[in-house]
Amino acid sequence: ITTFKDSNLVLGSNGTVYYKIVMNLADRIIPSNEVQTSLDGFSITYNSNGTSNNWQITPFPEKNLLYIGNNSFRTISVIDYSQKKLLKTASFNQFGMLCPVMNNGNAELFILNNNNMGISCYDGLTLMSKYTINLSAYSINDFKVKDNYMYVLYKTNYYTAKIRTYDLTTQLVVGEKTVYTSVNKVPYGLSLFIGSQTNKLFIKYYVETYNSQGYYVYKNTCANYNIINYMPTDSVVISHPLVIQDSINGTNFYYIKPSPDGKYLTCNAKGDILSLEDNSLHNLQSGTNVNPQVVYSNNGNYLIGKPNDNNSISNLIDVFSLPNFNLVTSIKSPNPILSQNSMIKDDFLDNDSLVSYNVKHTFLNSQTKSVLTVFFKKFN
């Protein structure tokens, strides 16, 4: 076995990738000359702590940012992928759920503490602390921020769920609403979504029942609320059969997700999309993408069906335009495997561009490092 090693090449933030083709002809070795080429992407290497895959990555395309949280060592890094640079890495005593949002024209990052006793607001670019709202809720399930109000979804006991509304100017509670209550059925998987272009708030959950055949059956529910005077009101349960269908294993529930603008609803793993404006149904399946993962663009103009099969040969991502659901193009992601070992990989939409990223944690020169690589594919 013959090895060829270049010891003076640099892995850094300049986005350089090196290739070499070598022909081995008996006793003659002919290496190629070095040629530079431009790639639409970049990589950043930075010091980190630990190489476990206990990480969370939260895209914030409104400001071209990626937040990379190391759950094991309590650090958060802010990457500006438009400027191709690391803005900030900060240490936190504890953090859980991350919620980036444009609020009053400012990029802000809201972080739920792991002990569910507080939600802290930070500057979205510098990670400088602004304030913390102390909570006295029983169990926080989710929270969202819009128009300087924060909506916290929590359970007061096993059988009751409520939404509490905070005015972020005064940081005080201004209202509370019960969204689920029962004497014997526990709601699971409570999640909260708020439409960015509509005054809509969505809550989804499922309840567990035991049927006559001896199986647990999960009943999916997605409720749509109007926001009036900064309070959720006038709830309507979305009654489409594909949304409320029972499930033996509860998997349908996890695919139910509203679009960021609140106009569409993903129904299941088969790529069925419900348009909430006219109750029409659209399907994203294709010959090579039979169980697509659906991702919406923040401007509401596109959505993609990502391949859900790691063993797919083509791994093509289908791009559709909205509201007509026309197939715009099919493109290949540089992440054919969703996750592998300690590497995290994913794709999301930044309006009319596919942004693909992966993070590899490694150990170099007695220092633990993380290598973030970002690729861009414009499809308009």
Side-chain angles (χ1 to χ4, degrees):
I1 299 176
T2 305
T3 339
F4 302 94
K5 180 178 180 181
D6 291 311
S7 59
N8 59 341
L9 303 186
V10 178
L11 175 65
S13 60
N14 58 358
T16 303
V17 179
Y18 299 94
Y19 298 89
K20 177 169 286 190
I21 300 175
V22 177
M23 294 184 296
N24 191 341
L25 305 175
D27 58 346
R28 293 175 294 159
I29 299 176
I30 309 173
S32 66
N33 295 326
E34 183 177 306
V35 178
Q36 290 189 350
T37 184
S38 177
L39 298 177
D40 193 7
F42 68 97
S43 64
I44 294 176
T45 302
Y46 57 97
N47 295 339
S48 60
N49 295 308
T51 58
S52 72
N53 57 3
N54 187 20
W55 291 60
Q56 57 177 310
I57 301 179
T58 305
F60 186 31
E62 292 92 330
K63 292 294 291 184
N64 307 121
L65 300 178
L66 280 171
Y67 294 98
I68 304 179
N70 185 330
N71 294 312
S72 297
F73 291 86
R74 306 303 179 195
T75 61
I76 296 178
S77 299
V78 188
I79 309 292
D80 185 330
Y81 58 81
S82 65
Q83 299 296 320
K84 304 180 180 180
K85 63 181 180 180
L86 171 68
L87 297 183
K88 181 75 174 181
T89 296
S91 298
F92 294 81
N93 291 330
Q94 57 178 329
F95 68 86
M97 190 184 308
L98 307 182
C99 177
V101 66
M102 291 299 298
N103 193 34
N104 284 341
N106 301 313
E108 294 182 332
L109 178 65
F110 290 81
I111 301 178
L112 172 66
N113 296 338
N114 269 348
N115 60 9
N116 284 349
M117 296 303 294
I119 296 177
S120 301
C121 176
Y122 297 84
D123 183 281
L125 302 177
T126 65
L127 296 182
M128 295 294 294
S129 177
K130 289 188 170 184
Y131 57 86
T132 296
I133 294 179
N134 295 318
L135 305 174
S136 58
Y138 176 76
S139 176
I140 307 298
N141 293 93
D142 205 352
F143 74 96
K144 292 293 184 293
V145 174
K146 182 180 180 181
D147 298 333
N148 212 40
Y149 285 80
M150 181 169 68
Y151 303 88
V152 179
L153 177 62
Y154 72 102
K155 293 169 68 174
T156 58
N157 53 51
Y158 286 112
Y159 306 108
T160 302
K162 294 184 178 183
I163 289 181
R164 182 178 293 173
T165 304
Y166 291 83
D167 184 338
L168 295 182
T169 300
T170 62
Q171 301 166 31
L172 298 176
V173 178
V174 294
E176 192 171 71
K177 183 179 183 64
T178 299
V179 295
Y180 178 86
T181 185
S182 173
V183 295
N184 57 5
K185 294 182 179 179
V186 180
Y188 296 98
L190 285 153
S191 297
L192 175 67
F193 302 88
I194 292 184
S196 58
Q197 300 175 24
T198 59
N199 283 326
K200 297 291 185 182
L201 180 148
F202 299 86
I203 298 173
K204 70 172 187 176
Y205 58 89
Y206 65 90
V207 294
E208 182 183 78
T209 59
Y210 196 66
N211 66 12
S212 58
Q213 287 76 37
Y215 295 102
Y216 280 106
V217 176
Y218 303 89
K219 180 72 172 181
N220 300 320
T221 301
C222 184
N224 184 352
Y225 290 77
N226 291 316
I227 300 178
I228 300 176
N229 295 327
Y230 310 105
M231 286 295 297
T233 185
D234 302 329
S235 67
V236 176
V237 174
I238 298 174
S239 59
H240 194 280
L242 290 182
V243 177
I244 64 174
Q245 62 181 327
D246 294 341
S247 172
I248 296 297
N249 54 18
T251 55
N252 285 336
F253 166 83
Y254 296 101
Y255 286 91
I256 296 176
K257 182 178 67 174
S259 61
D261 57 14
K263 296 181 179 180
Y264 306 96
L265 189 71
T266 304
C267 298
N268 50 37
K270 299 179 181 179
D272 288 317
I273 308 296
L274 179 65
S275 175
L276 298 175
E277 293 183 338
D278 58 7
N279 209 39
S280 59
L281 193 67
H282 308 268
N283 186 266
L284 306 186
Q285 284 186 334
S286 66
T288 59
N289 202 347
V290 294
N291 293 304
Q293 298 185 55
V294 180
V295 180
Y296 299 89
S297 64
N298 284 278
N299 63 1
N301 292 338
Y302 298 96
L303 79 162
I304 58 175
K306 295 167 50 179
N308 195 30
D309 182 6
N310 285 343
N311 298 317
S312 173
I313 297 176
S314 62
N315 284 295
L316 291 177
I317 291 178
D318 297 324
V319 182
F320 298 86
S321 61
L322 295 172
N324 52 25
F325 285 86
N326 289 336
L327 180 62
V328 176
T329 185
S330 296
I331 55 181
K332 191 173 180 64
S333 168
N335 292 326
I337 300 177
L338 302 180
S339 62
Q340 185 178 25
N341 299 329
S342 61
M343 182 178 285
I344 304 171
K345 307 179 179 183
D346 207 352
D347 312 273
F348 66 95
L349 284 178
D350 187 339
N351 296 332
D352 62 348
S353 295
L354 178 71
V355 183
S356 304
Y357 64 83
N358 58 60
V359 179
K360 176 68 175 177
H361 313 302
T362 186
F363 193 76
L364 297 172
N365 301 324
S366 301
Q367 171 65 53
T368 304
K369 295 181 179 293
S370 294
V371 182
L372 168 73
T373 305
V374 182
F375 308 90
F376 305 100
K377 182 68 174 179
K378 195 175 184 68
F379 51 81
N380 186 358

